[in-house]
Amino acid sequence: MDGGRRSGAADRSGGGHGPPARGGPRERAALEESRPEVGSGWTDDGKSYEKRGLKRRARRATRSVPIPPVFVRMVREHIKTHGVAPDGRLFWAVHGGRVRSTEYCDLWEAAREKVLTPEELKTPLAKVPYSLRHAGISLWLKAGVEPAEVARRAGHSIAVLYHFYAKIINGVQQKANQLIDRALNSAD
């Protein structure tokens, strides 16, 4: 829901048919542009969003992102059921336009009310759709993915990753110490 446009064709790394082996090659999405919603008063053409390149990248640069097999299956099922918009977006409004943030935020709040307990609803847990990005990055770090790879997949610099996720990165220090000790002890 970040407004990013994905290319129409997924790149299948590793070839073959069917889902890739666990931990093996992944299909990829090529992110080509962003369309941040800024309000029609702030754009030259009066639309509520602007077409832009990807953040901190050359104007026509793309970013290839590996997609887990479970997500590939979900997206394929969604496309099979609903198709895609003419410009490749997976989600669009009733008349084919862009889904505005107010629309998906209303749906998000309704979903929170259905799945969270009354106590959880009072907390910032999954307060906005963007929380999913933070949850995903946190999951990757907790799973032990190297910070440089997490930063690359998230489109961050290492400095930004460490600034926002230092607590999580520091939280894996004990695991790192155990790995280092195991490697040093195996040399004996």
Side-chain angles (χ1 to χ4, degrees), residues 1 5 21-22 25 43 50 52 54 62 68 78 106-107 114 129 141 144 155 163-164 167 175 178 180 188:
M1 293 288 191
R5 183 171 173 265
R22 182 174 287 245
T43 61
E50 289 184 322
R52 294 184 182 170
L54 301 175
T62 61
H78 177 84
D106 289 346
L107 290 171
K114 277 191 167 197
L141 289 167
H163 177 78
F164 288 101
K167 287 182 180 179
K175 182 178 177 182
Q178 291 170 344
I180 292 167
D188 290 341

Side-chain angles (χ1 to χ4, degrees), residues 33-113:
E33 64 186 32
S34 66
R35 295 182 186 179
E37 188 170 317
V38 295
S40 60
W42 298 98
T43 61
D44 293 334
D45 61 6
K47 291 184 180 177
S48 63
Y49 64 90
E50 289 184 322
K51 274 186 165 184
R52 294 184 182 170
L54 301 175
K55 258 182 164 170
R56 291 185 280 287
R57 287 192 164 55
R59 180 176 280 239
R60 291 200 166 87
T62 61
R63 184 162 62 90
S64 179
V65 180
I67 308 296
V70 65
F71 185 59
V72 170
R73 287 190 296 276
M74 290 168 59
V75 170
R76 284 185 177 153
E77 185 60 34
H78 177 84
I79 291 170
K80 182 178 169 185
T81 303
H82 304 285
V84 297
D87 66 356
R89 286 175 293 124
L90 293 177
F91 307 102
W92 60 92
V94 175
H95 299 291
R98 177 186 162 95
V99 177
R100 293 179 174 224
S101 62
T102 54
E103 294 167 316
Y104 66 75
C105 285
D106 289 346
L107 290 171
W108 185 261
E109 187 56 35
R112 281 184 85 238
E113 290 171 4

Side-chain angles (χ1 to χ4, degrees), residues 12 18 27 30 40 60 87-88 108 141 143 148-149 158 168-169:
R12 182 180 266 302
E27 290 198 41
S40 60
R60 291 200 166 87
D87 66 356
W108 185 261
L141 289 167
E149 177 62 12
I158 293 287
I168 295 167
I169 292 169

Side-chain angles (χ1 to χ4, degrees), residues 13-34:
S13 301
H17 298 286
R22 182 174 287 245
R26 301 274 174 106
E27 290 198 41
R28 306 175 81 75
L31 304 182
E32 300 171 345
E33 64 186 32
S34 66

Side-chain angles (χ1 to χ4, degrees), residues 100-166:
R100 293 179 174 224
S101 62
T102 54
E103 294 167 316
Y104 66 75
C105 285
D106 289 346
L107 290 171
W108 185 261
E109 187 56 35
R112 281 184 85 238
E113 290 171 4
K114 277 191 167 197
V115 300
L116 298 180
T117 66
E119 293 79 30
E120 290 170 332
L121 279 171
K122 295 175 189 171
T123 71
L125 177 65
K127 189 70 173 173
V128 294
Y130 197 75
S131 301
L132 294 175
R133 177 175 171 76
H134 294 297
I137 292 169
S138 299
L139 173 72
W140 299 340
L141 289 167
K142 284 273 194 193
V145 178
E146 294 293 325
E149 177 62 12
V150 171
R152 186 190 70 73
R153 288 181 182 214
H156 283 320
S157 67
I158 293 287
V160 167
L161 184 80
Y162 276 91
H163 177 78
F164 288 101
Y165 298 94

